[in-house]
Each structure stands twice: as structure tokens, then as C-alpha cells.
Amino acid sequence: MNTKHLEHPNVLRSKKTSLSGNAESSKLLVVPCATSNSSSFSDKQLLYRLREMEELNTSLEILVEQRTSKLLEIVSTNGKFLSIIAHDLRSPFSSIIGILELLKLSLKEFNKDEIEEYINLVYNSANNTLVLLDNLLVWAVSQNKEKNFKPVKINLYELLREEIENLKTLARQKQIAISHSIKPDLNVTADLQMVKTILRNLINNAIKYTNINGEIAINACEIKQFVEVSVKDNGIGISSENQRKLFKIDTFHSTPGTHDEKGTGLGLLLCKEFVELHGGNIRIESEAGKGSRFAFTLPHYI
């Protein structure tokens, strides 16, 4: 007779525990695999984050470079303006005072032609100084563009006639004829003070660099949604090398006029800044000894 050996309950309990333990162990053996997969996933995330940080770092470097460049430009500009105020604005007043003092002390010793010559010198110096002072004031106001930019409907014909009248005396001294072919009904949408500054500077420059008995012609034509205005003279012109120096804030390029009129180059910088603020552009066509043509665009009022 076969008999089955019965094990003590404690032994059975021990085996169950052992089996249970083995089951738990088998579960635990899966964990390292899961951890390995999780680790692999984390590495991918880390790599992604590192790439993000690299891109962000590159963007920050570009931003810092742009800000640094802008700050250097501001410092350079402020230095230039201080130089203008200290020298280019002070020097003409010294000349004016000197000539007037000479006339005051020795008026009876000069004949009519000599007196007229000195008066013309004082007038030209005072006029150039006024233009420079106007440009400095306009530039200071223009720094807050959002607040001071106020486009309105402007009749170009009436505005141009007014500016030509203001500069007539200066042109008459060099016997320069100024003509225009602007249509009476031509209107633009622009900031009035800024357009005045553009026209005044371009016409004044044309007078400055045109010889006696020269001519200045001002024209305008409609190009789609813009109006292109041009100021053309038959003066001394500008070389290709000097053309590349114009409209640059770090150079403030200027050459003496045909009667040794002084300038700073600030006027053309203002013209460029104001034209671009209107969404237009300004360009030059010139050849040394054959005159210059400045053309700029403004939005057409429809």
C-alpha cells in the first residue's frame, strides 16, 4: 500500500513563501528592462532640451549683438551731435559776430560793394546756421516717432511753393533758377513737418552745390500707391565714392558748397529717416561735374 507523505504545514507555508518570493523576484526582474527603456526615453528628452537651449542661446547671442550694435550707434550719434553743437553751431556765430563787429568799427572805411559782400557773408552764415539748428531740433523731436508721427492729407503743390518761396533769397544770391512741374491737385498722405524738412534740405543742398546761373528742377509722378518727388540740379555732382558715404549715421559726410557753404550731412540723414518712416525710399543719381538728382517716395493720397 502506497502511502503519501504528508508534509508539515510549516513546511508547506515555507514553500508557498518561497514560490511567492520567486514570483516577486520574477516581477522585479522585469523592472530593470522598464528602467532601461525609461532611461533611454529620458536621454532623448535631455538631448531635445539641450538642442532647445542651444537654439535659445544662439538667439540670445544674436539679440545681444543687435542691442550692442544699437547702443554703439546711439553713442556714436550722440557724440556726433555734441560735436555739431560744439563746433558747427558755435563757429558760424563767431564768424557772424566777427563780421558785424568789423562793420560796426570800420563802416565808414568800406565802400558799397565791400559792405554788400560782408552782408552776404553774414546772411549765408546765418541761414546755414538756421538750417542746421532746425535739423537738430527736428531730429530731437523725431526720436519719439510713435508720438510725433502724424500723417495728414498734404497738397504737394502748395507745400512746395511755400518752401521755394522761403529759399528764394538764397537762390537769388547765386542767380539760380528754381522751377517745378507739380500738378495743383497732387496730394500725399504724410507728416507735414517731416515733409517740410525733406523738401527744405534737398532744395537747400541743390542750391549749395550748384554754380552761379545754375538751374534746379523739381518734379513729381505717381507710381502705384506712391508719389515720387525728385529734386534735380546741374551743379558739381557727387563722386561714386562720396555717394557711398551719404545717408550713413557713422560718417555724417558733407563737402563745402560752390561758395564754400558748410554742412554736416545731418539733413540727408533726416531725409532718409523720415522717408522710410512713411514706407518710402530715397535714392540718388549723380555724376561728378554733371549735377545730382535726389528722388524720394511718399504715400499717394487717394
Side-chain angles (χ1 to χ4, degrees), residues 162-177:
E162 179 184 327
E163 291 304 316
I164 292 175
E165 185 66 29
N166 291 336
L167 293 168
K168 185 180 291 185
T169 303
L170 192 63
R172 189 183 295 125
Q173 284 190 335
K174 298 174 75 173
Q175 299 174 12
I176 294 172

Side-chain angles (χ1 to χ4, degrees), residues 125-137 167 170 200-201 204-205 208 266-267 270:
S125 184
N127 184 76
N128 290 334
T129 305
L130 179 61
V131 171
L132 174 57
L133 184 59
D134 281 345
N135 283 336
L136 285 170
L137 292 173
L167 293 168
L170 192 63
R200 183 170 62 247
N201 276 288
N204 187 70
N205 273 0
K208 183 188 297 184
L266 173 61
L270 285 174

Side-chain angles (χ1 to χ4, degrees), residues 22-40:
N22 288 337
E24 290 296 328
S25 297
S26 64
K27 289 182 182 177
L28 289 174
L29 287 174
V30 179
V31 172
C33 295
T35 304
S36 176
N37 291 336
S38 176
S39 175
S40 177

Side-chain angles (χ1 to χ4, degrees), residues 183 185-188 219-229 297-298 300-302:
K183 295 187 294 185
D185 60 345
L186 186 57
N187 299 311
V188 294
N219 300 297
C221 61
E222 300 171 29
I223 305 176
K224 295 182 179 179
Q225 72 269 33
F226 287 92
V227 172
E228 183 180 80
V229 183
T297 55
L298 295 172
H300 189 196
Y301 179 85
I302 302 175

Side-chain angles (χ1 to χ4, degrees), residues 176-233:
I176 294 172
I178 302 178
S179 62
H180 75 85
S181 59
I182 308 294
K183 295 187 294 185
D185 60 345
L186 186 57
N187 299 311
V188 294
T189 303
D191 183 282
L192 181 59
Q193 294 304 319
M194 290 184 182
V195 177
K196 282 186 175 182
T197 298
I198 296 167
L199 289 172
R200 183 170 62 247
N201 276 288
L202 293 182
I203 298 172
N204 187 70
N205 273 0
I207 295 171
K208 183 188 297 184
Y209 297 109
T210 299
N211 290 305
I212 292 176
N213 295 320
E215 296 178 353
I216 296 171
I218 304 168
N219 300 297
C221 61
E222 300 171 29
I223 305 176
K224 295 182 179 179
Q225 72 269 33
F226 287 92
V227 172
E228 183 180 80
V229 183
S230 65
V231 179
K232 185 177 184 299
D233 64 67

Side-chain angles (χ1 to χ4, degrees), residues 11-80:
V11 175
L12 291 172
R13 228 180 349 276
S14 174
K15 286 185 177 180
K16 286 181 180 179
T17 303
S18 176
L19 289 172
S20 175
N22 288 337
E24 290 296 328
S25 297
S26 64
K27 289 182 182 177
L28 289 174
L29 287 174
V30 179
V31 172
C33 295
T35 304
S36 176
N37 291 336
S38 176
S39 175
S40 177
F41 182 69
S42 297
D43 287 345
K44 290 180 181 177
Q45 282 188 319
L46 180 60
L47 184 59
Y48 179 75
R49 291 296 296 164
L50 284 172
R51 286 176 180 171
E52 276 190 333
M53 291 177 69
E54 285 178 0
E55 291 176 0
L56 180 61
N57 187 52
T58 302
S59 300
L60 287 172
E61 286 178 354
I62 294 172
L63 182 61
V64 169
E65 186 177 342
Q66 291 174 341
R67 295 287 175 85
T68 302
S69 176
K70 186 65 177 177
L71 285 173
L72 289 174
E73 182 180 304
I74 291 171
V75 170
S76 174
T77 304
N78 288 341
K80 289 285 185 181

